């Protein structure tokens, strides 16, 4: 039977994964606000151009709207994964589970999450790597559940 300190270390690793996801969710919301401002500026320029020299920013506007929609999808995916990860309680681990192996695997997963999250710096890279981060975070839930650590 795992000790209380071993269970606490598993919870800490799980919580590290949640923190990584929460950080990227907040950054995604910041990027989305930047895109909202960009969209508003393009729309204002388009409106103003009707009364003066016409300009065509429709491609730029469409791209900004697509990026905003894509970021929203990533944010929602990360939120879902953070909720699933939080709901996975590392309270009971079966007698056959090697806690040290599970802990090492969790550390490896959170290290991988940090590497992926580190690549999510621009709007494009945030969108490109969002699904990878979510699928990597899913490994935390899968590991805890298969280790018998789920609620």
């Amino acid at each position: 039977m795992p000790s209380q300190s071993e269970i606490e270390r598993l919870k800490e690793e799980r919580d590290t994964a949640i923190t990584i996801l929460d950080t990227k969710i907040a950054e995604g919301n910041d990027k989305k606000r930047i895109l909202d401002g960009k969209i508003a500026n393009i729309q204002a320029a388009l409106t103003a151009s009707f009364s003066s020299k016409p300009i065509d920013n429709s491609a730029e506007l469409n791209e900004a709207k697509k990026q905003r929609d894509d970021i929203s999808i990533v944010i929602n995916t990360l939120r879902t994964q953070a909720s699933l990860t939080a709901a996975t309680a590392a309270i009971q681990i079966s007698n056959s589970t090697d806690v040290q192996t599970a802990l090492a695997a969790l550390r490896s997963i959170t290290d991988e999450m940090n590497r992926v999250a580190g690549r999510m710096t621009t709007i494009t890279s945030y969108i490109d790597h969002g699904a990878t981060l979510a699928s990597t975070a899913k490994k935390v839930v899968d590991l805890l559940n298969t280790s018998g650590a789920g609620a």
Side-chain angles (χ1 to χ4, degrees):
M1 192 66 147
S3 69
Q4 188 61 33
S5 67
E6 289 172 323
I7 292 171
E8 287 304 314
R9 287 195 307 247
L10 285 170
K11 287 181 182 179
E12 287 169 8
E13 280 304 311
R14 181 207 53 200
D15 292 347
T16 297
I18 294 168
T19 299
I20 295 166
L21 293 169
D22 287 346
T23 299
K24 286 300 158 183
I25 291 166
E27 289 176 13
N29 284 322
D30 290 343
K31 291 176 185 340
K32 191 173 167 188
R33 280 190 285 281
I34 290 167
L35 286 168
D36 285 339
K38 182 177 181 178
I39 290 166
N41 289 339
I42 294 169
Q43 288 173 328
L46 287 171
T47 302
S49 75
F50 288 125
S51 60
S52 62
K53 179 182 165 192
I55 58 171
D56 185 11
N57 290 7
S58 58
E60 185 180 1
L61 177 64
N62 290 338
E63 178 61 21
K65 285 181 176 181
K66 181 185 178 320
Q67 286 179 326
R68 183 188 60 196
D69 291 346
D70 289 346
I71 282 184
S72 293
I73 291 168
V74 171
I75 290 168
N76 289 335
T77 302
L78 296 179
R79 276 190 187 130
T80 299
Q81 195 56 54
S83 294
L84 290 171
T85 304
T88 305
I91 297 170
Q92 297 177 353
I93 299 177
S94 66
N95 291 333
S96 62
T97 300
D98 180 353
V99 176
Q100 295 306 316
T101 301
L103 188 56
L106 277 174
R107 284 188 184 129
S108 176
I109 293 167
T110 55
D111 287 348
E112 183 181 351
M113 288 176 68
N114 274 316
R115 282 191 297 278
V116 173
R119 295 183 196 121
M120 297 171 68
T121 56
T122 67
I123 289 171
T124 302
S125 64
Y126 186 92
I127 294 166
D128 290 346
H129 295 291
T132 303
L133 181 60
S135 66
T136 304
K138 184 179 180 306
K139 293 177 186 178
V140 173
V141 175
D142 293 344
L143 176 72
L144 293 174
N145 284 334
T146 58
S147 297

